[in-house]
Amino acid sequence: MTPARSPAACATVLAGAWLGGVALQLQQAALWPESLAWGLGGGALLLALAAWRRRGRAVALAALALCVAAMGFASTSLRAGHRLQQRLPLALEGQDLLVTGMVAELPRSGLTGTRFVLATESATQRGLPVALPPRLSLGWYRGVDDDSLVSGPAEALRAGQRWQLPVRLRQPHGSFNPHGFDLELWMFERGLGASGTVRARPAAPAVKLAEDAGAPVERLRQSLRDALQRQVGEGAAAGVLAALLIGDQAAIQGADWDLFRITGVAHLMSISGLHVTMFAWLAGTVVGALWRRHPRLPLVLPAPQAARWGGLVAAAAYAVLAGWGVPAQRTVGMIAAVVLLRGAGVRWPLPAVLLAAALAVVLGDPWALLQPGFWLSFVAVALLVVSEPVQAAGDAPRGRRARAVQALRAGLRTQVVATVGLAPLSLVFFQQVSLVGFAANLAAIPLVTLLVVPLAMLGVLVPPLWSLAAGLVQALTAVLQGLASLPLAQWSAAAAPPWAMASGLLAGALALWPLPARLRWLALPLALPLLAPPLARPPAGQFELVAADVGQGTAVLVRTSGHLLLFDTGPAYTPDADAGARVLLPLLRARGETRVDLLVLSHRDSDHVGGAATVMAGLPVGALTSSLADDHPLRATAQARGVPHNPCSAGQRWQWDGVRFEILHPAAQDLAGPARPNALSCVLSVQATGGARALITGDIEAAQETALLQRAGTSLRSEVLLVPHHGSKTSSTPAFLDAVQARLAVVQAGYRSRYGHPAPEVMARYERRGIAVVRSDRCGALTWPAGAALAAPSGAAAPAGLCARDVARRYWHHASVVTAPVVP
């Protein structure tokens, strides 16, 4: 049989074609009409059936591959359309609803409440039935919501409970920033059609209807988590053990994840293919041994086959218990392919088995192709295959010592391959790579794989073993902390352009491919563009303004050719999460920023300074300018980090790289007397050579706008205006807007802001003056290079490329509103 006609070769080509069709569909900004997708899929299927009969010919096989790719594209499009149809209707956003459903996954409890997934059964609005998405992401918090006192859960929520809950919902919507986390994709992939909050109060109480209504696997996972916490407490080690035993990655604290990422062992601290494979091998060994002892079973099914099937069943059960993540899916798929092929007496090459496993994962979840874990898992195995040295016949080691030496060498080679080969992918996905990862993994892999994971599993039967496993985790953590404290423990780089990514990935493959050494050395220059990508910086005399999407809050980057200013740092979302960690630090690092030259904190409101402490901890800050009082905690934080502070006061001026900066408010006398925080907001004017200007206003209100008019007058005129106080009714007076004469106004406000920002009557003032308005909840992050063309009051179209949502839009993103600036 020729290679073109071999089943393995055909399967490899067709699996690759399906994956290619799915990958192409994932790039769509909007879905095709359903009828077109059905037509494409049906036509491709008919052509594929015709080409299948002649698949031995290269041309026919290529045509068949094109048809399979079209079928992959069409099927993913149809599935995506069905999932989008299940999203919450816009008419039900913000409405009081009564929902009956079951807690479908492990709840996540925090300081202020609990988050959980509810599988809906029925819902009503004012007594009338309404249709809701099958799965909702809900938060149940205690406190004040929209001036109403709401109560948190009276008892701990548990998976499988059935509840009747008063809720308010909204469509999936998250912050949208370059290189940031895509919350809307995460919700879309998990089938979460809405998010919202439980609004339990005396007039509308939450009622538990049943304790164990379903979700048996999730109930088992929660029982194991509870037993684990009773045995070892709720410390860092307990979180790692929960992640390894039941796949509860949320149990690991953010600081511990940072440590694991810096040291390159994060892949070990959740269910990985290595753990699943080891469990399958152990289970298969036990099944095979017991099978051989039975007098009749080997006659029905040979013991080796029984061992393989037993290992597959055990691996699948462990993967389901662990949450069915991509690494577990990949491993179970590979084990299943091997078992099926060996059972049929067929031996496919490992690359074909690997591609078949990838196809199995994508058939179940097409959007897995967008997850870094998918590529890291499959590429790691592929690199091990292509870099495997060829062993001549008769070279097998003899004797225990020789076999032990060979096993040690193989282990070291595997670690070298994983470290070198996956480094480019780590830089592509995360813009960082651990430089101590090789040493850390040499200690962590055997400890976690051979000791911690088995002890975690055996602890289900003998709980005291969990305490022993926790002690090993604590010892490993201490070693990792020592490695993380070393200079240059981690290399960070800016997000690279596509050509630099391709060059770096080629370098990783070239370094491991079995080629002559002189060719492998080419990997070094090829890797340089990914290790140190070129940074886009404004020319001298110009600046770039980035209004980050932080939800309800303010955070603005102003970048000159040689300096960076950060104006405000967005809100604190929860006691342990803020815009600094979630938005600003990832954004700054992806842009290649290694230092904030000046941090301006306009005033003390939490939606402006919530992320300041995190930013100061994450990056060096040259100086701080603010209107904060002497006793504000952030003043002490800055002092402790050696960051000098100057009060922002009208009249302060400086120049960076030909760009002029000036503080316009508050006046010195304002700082001296008592005043509301908004009245003390710093106002910053930034002017490029040639006159292009931006005005950043904080939360000033009408009185401060009047004072600015008296002090600055016509010099307030600016092309871009950061709308005062998020578009509140208290600001944007007609006289102020007439003086500024902005061509583009930027509103930084949260989606469905609880404060009603921006106020419709305020937006009407901008509309009457022909000012284009961009809202962060519709635009995402806005990037404006000073001097770039803007929409003219005459009604010219706004330029493309300002809004992150327009640049990177995909069909799963929130699309109920137009994101481009609205110009009358």
Side-chain angles (χ1 to χ4, degrees), residues 696-753:
I696 309 174
T697 58
D699 277 358
I700 60 171
E701 298 180 348
Q704 292 75 53
E705 292 177 357
T706 300
L708 276 173
L709 289 173
Q710 294 172 352
R711 286 198 299 266
T714 57
S715 63
L716 291 174
R717 183 170 182 175
S718 303
E719 279 74 17
V720 172
L721 169 67
L722 271 293
V723 173
H725 201 183
H726 318 288
S728 167
K729 299 177 184 178
T730 63
S731 307
S732 298
T733 58
F736 181 74
L737 298 185
D738 292 338
V740 176
Q741 298 185 32
R743 301 171 66 189
L744 179 68
V746 182
V747 181
Q748 288 186 296
Y751 178 66
R752 296 189 61 84
S753 167

Side-chain angles (χ1 to χ4, degrees), residues 362-382:
V362 172
L363 285 174
D365 178 10
W367 301 278
L369 280 175
L370 299 170
Q371 304 304 322
F374 177 91
W375 297 100
L376 291 170
S377 295
F378 283 100
V379 169
V381 178

Side-chain angles (χ1 to χ4, degrees), residues 28-29 176 778 804-811 813-815 819:
Q28 284 191 295
F176 202 105
R778 301 179 179 182
R805 284 188 179 271
D806 291 336
V807 173
R809 173 168 295 283
R810 296 294 183 268
Y811 56 80
H813 290 141
H814 192 272
T819 63

Side-chain angles (χ1 to χ4, degrees), residues 366-555:
W367 301 278
L369 280 175
L370 299 170
Q371 304 304 322
F374 177 91
W375 297 100
L376 291 170
S377 295
F378 283 100
V379 169
V381 178
L383 289 173
L384 289 172
V385 172
V386 301
S387 64
E388 180 73 35
V390 178
Q391 182 173 300
D395 287 350
R398 298 178 179 178
R400 293 182 177 179
R401 181 175 180 181
R403 286 194 294 269
V405 171
Q406 186 191 47
L408 179 60
R409 289 177 176 174
L412 290 173
R413 187 190 71 84
T414 298
Q415 188 53 44
V416 169
V417 169
T419 301
V420 175
L422 296 183
L425 275 179
S426 296
L427 286 169
V428 167
F429 289 127
F430 311 117
Q431 292 83 52
Q432 59 186 26
V433 63
S434 174
L435 300 183
V436 297
F438 180 79
N441 278 281
L442 285 180
I445 287 178
L447 182 66
V448 173
T449 304
L450 301 179
L451 290 176
V452 175
V453 172
L455 289 172
M457 295 178 179
L458 292 173
V460 176
L461 303 175
V462 187
L465 293 178
W466 281 333
S467 298
L468 178 57
L472 294 175
V473 171
Q474 291 170 348
L476 175 62
T477 300
V479 173
L480 297 178
Q481 288 172 341
L483 290 173
S485 65
L486 295 175
L488 292 178
Q490 177 180 271
W491 180 268
S492 297
W499 67 267
M501 293 183 188
S503 178
L505 294 174
L506 178 60
L510 195 62
L512 298 174
W513 209 274
L515 296 172
R518 63 180 181 275
L519 294 179
R520 291 191 180 191
W521 282 108
L522 292 175
L524 290 178
L526 287 173
L528 288 178
L530 185 59
L531 289 168
L535 301 178
R537 295 290 185 258
Q542 300 298 314
F543 68 89
E544 181 183 58
L545 182 145
V546 179
D549 182 6
V550 294
Q552 183 65 34
T554 295

Side-chain angles (χ1 to χ4, degrees), residues 743-744 770-773 789-800 802 820-824:
R743 301 171 66 189
L744 179 68
I771 302 172
V773 176
L790 293 171
S794 60
L802 292 181
V822 177
V823 182

